[in-house]
Amino acid sequence: MSLDPIRTDVPENAEPLQVEVEIAAGERVEILVSPEPGPNRVRIRRQAARSGGRTAGLRAAWARWNAHRLPYREQMLFRLGMVFCALMVLLFLPRFPVSFTAVEALPSLSAEHLLKTGLRGPEGDFLPVFFRVDGQYTLGLGAYLQFLAVFLLGKSVFLARALTGLVSLAGAAAVSWAWRGGLDLRTWWLIPWLLAVTPAWFLHARAAWPYALAASAFGLVLWAGQRALRGERWAYWGALAAAGLGMYAYPPAVVPLGILAAAVTLLAARRLPRRGLTLAVGAGLVAAMALPYVRFALTHPDEALQPLQLASFWLDPELSLGGRLEGLGAAVLSGLNPWFWFAPSQSGPLLQRMLGYAPVPLAFLPFFLLGAWRLLRGPWTAERRLAAAALAASPGAAWVTGASVGALLPAAAAGVGVTALGLGMTFDFLERYRPFSRPLLAALTAVILTASGTVMLSDAVTRGPLWYRDYGLS
């Protein structure tokens, strides 16, 4: 290997850069350093040796896998964060949220009905999309999620809520992987920790409401979309499927999920192998996902809009066009209003609030602003454009229903990703200009978030029954 001569024109204010790389026998490694600071400053390209026996190939594979691990074992921190998030979501489920409403009980009751009728709906149709309760039709994705649990273990408050919590864990993992793969975020492992201590996510992931299902589908679409940008057509199809399932969980989520799926299609179209065939299969998948709803709408045109009529101000017959536009403007402004997110609010449905807690902790605000500045500064790669599109589309459900914490839950998840980006920049600064190491910063952050989450969980379980007098049920 030939080496270039040592440069003598290095500026006096230049700072040394230390890079640690494990190189397997016979492996070729290229280290590319960008003059611009940031998480993508150093890139490592590896090429395994084509000869040298079976042992050399195994060592090269180990080196490639080990290159994704940092000195403080970010994979281990991610797993610990997922365990912490699972404990926050699943512990004391029957005790908080305090009230178990009909909305939470409906999926389990619908699953029980499917068992008794041989997977047929109220009108005899096989694998129904809609379920009718008290003369009203609701979409039935939750019923199918509850089906196996009801079949094996029966109905219970814990099971009804635990399945939503497990889906929310998948959403948290998907958001983390999306920010790691798309923006090479070194603090991607922080996202489960941050979501666990975010009151909006904490409350909705513990309740059998459809909001956490839609927010998790949003995270899955973002993660699959980032993988589709690498040319993985199965990931592209998975993004479309996740968007369709999220719509069946919570109909107003069709707006953010549809916008994000369209952004994935536009950004990934040129990178997908066999583009024409891949896009054609994707269009067929979208048609297949929409077909059950279209079939029901043709058979029951009035009932098909009931799930939206119950939630959307656009379909309120008592509102004029001006009133509907006013509702849209109020929803857009609420999603952009820091007071809505970072101050304990007394607006919105009572069941979607925790007394004394803001939807997002105020301590996240400076890191969110720092991360948003870094995201918008560029460079505008396709992966960064998709992340920005997700952040812009995430409040879309509120444009249909009006501002509420549940409708804006995808925005909370996207905002936590931006917050993790800001924390990563803070870690870089402290490590460079202060006597802090990344392992120490990671440990301190994990301890602080664990303590904060433990206090919030204890407060919700012990004091939650005393927050309100009727919890909106009277």
Side-chain angles (χ1 to χ4, degrees), residues 240-378:
L240 298 180
L245 292 175
M247 186 273 293
Y248 280 106
Y250 181 52
V254 67
V255 176
L257 291 170
I259 294 175
L260 185 56
V264 170
T265 301
L266 292 174
L267 293 172
R270 295 184 178 181
R271 304 187 179 190
L272 295 171
R274 304 181 67 180
R275 180 173 57 185
L277 177 61
T278 302
L279 294 178
V281 172
L285 180 61
V286 171
M289 297 288 293
L291 182 61
Y293 187 93
V294 173
R295 184 182 63 181
F296 183 85
L298 294 176
T299 309
H300 306 84
D302 296 331
E303 291 83 352
L305 291 177
Q306 276 191 4
L308 284 176
Q309 287 174 338
L310 295 175
S312 177
F313 56 83
W314 289 101
L315 300 178
D316 188 347
E318 298 182 359
L319 287 179
S320 63
L321 177 60
R324 296 186 178 101
L325 294 177
E326 182 179 354
L328 174 62
V332 172
L333 292 177
S334 295
L336 299 174
N337 185 4
W339 187 263
F340 176 88
W341 290 106
F342 299 102
S345 174
Q346 298 302 317
S347 61
L350 191 64
L351 291 174
Q352 297 182 24
R353 287 188 261 141
M354 294 174 61
L355 186 65
Y357 291 88
V360 179
L362 180 61
F364 288 10
L365 180 57
F367 302 108
F368 172 81
L369 295 175
L370 190 62
W373 172 78
R374 180 66 183 89
L375 178 65
L376 298 177
R377 193 183 67 172

Side-chain angles (χ1 to χ4, degrees), residues 210-259:
Y211 308 112
L213 301 180
S216 299
F218 189 84
L220 289 169
V221 174
L222 178 59
W223 172 51
Q226 294 287 9
R227 296 185 67 90
L229 292 177
R230 304 177 191 172
E232 300 181 19
R233 58 179 178 178
W234 284 101
Y236 172 66
W237 296 333
L240 298 180
L245 292 175
M247 186 273 293
Y248 280 106
Y250 181 52
V254 67
V255 176
L257 291 170
I259 294 175

Side-chain angles (χ1 to χ4, degrees), residues 65 68-70 72-87 168-181 185-196 220 223 416 420 442-443 446 449-450:
W65 179 82
H68 295 286
R69 299 187 303 167
L70 296 178
Y72 57 87
R73 309 284 185 180
E74 63 183 22
Q75 290 284 358
M76 181 189 68
L77 289 170
F78 171 71
R79 295 188 186 103
L80 290 176
M82 291 299 298
V83 171
F84 173 62
C85 193
L87 293 176
S168 73
L169 292 178
V175 174
S176 303
W177 294 330
W179 283 87
R180 179 190 66 172
L185 178 61
R186 295 181 64 185
T187 49
W188 63 276
W189 56 269
L190 268 172
I191 292 177
W193 299 85
L194 297 173
L195 283 174
L220 289 169
W223 172 51
V416 164
L449 292 175
T450 301

Side-chain angles (χ1 to χ4, degrees), residues 328-466:
L328 174 62
V332 172
L333 292 177
S334 295
L336 299 174
N337 185 4
W339 187 263
F340 176 88
W341 290 106
F342 299 102
S345 174
Q346 298 302 317
S347 61
L350 191 64
L351 291 174
Q352 297 182 24
R353 287 188 261 141
M354 294 174 61
L355 186 65
Y357 291 88
V360 179
L362 180 61
F364 288 10
L365 180 57
F367 302 108
F368 172 81
L369 295 175
L370 190 62
W373 172 78
R374 180 66 183 89
L375 178 65
L376 298 177
R377 193 183 67 172
W380 282 101
T381 61
E383 292 80 5
R384 192 175 294 270
R385 290 191 183 98
L386 184 59
L391 185 63
S394 58
W399 305 340
V400 179
T401 65
S404 67
V405 178
L408 289 168
L409 197 60
V416 164
V418 178
T419 302
L421 180 59
L423 277 167
M425 296 179 65
T426 305
F427 281 16
D428 292 338
F429 174 82
L430 293 176
E431 186 181 28
R432 186 174 182 181
Y433 295 105
R434 296 290 186 271
F436 291 103
S437 63
R438 278 195 170 264
L440 177 61
L441 292 171
L444 287 176
T445 305
V447 168
I448 292 172
L449 292 175
T450 301
S452 175
T454 302
V455 170
M456 183 173 64
L457 176 61
S458 175
D459 187 38
V461 172
T462 57
R463 294 182 58 247
L466 307 177

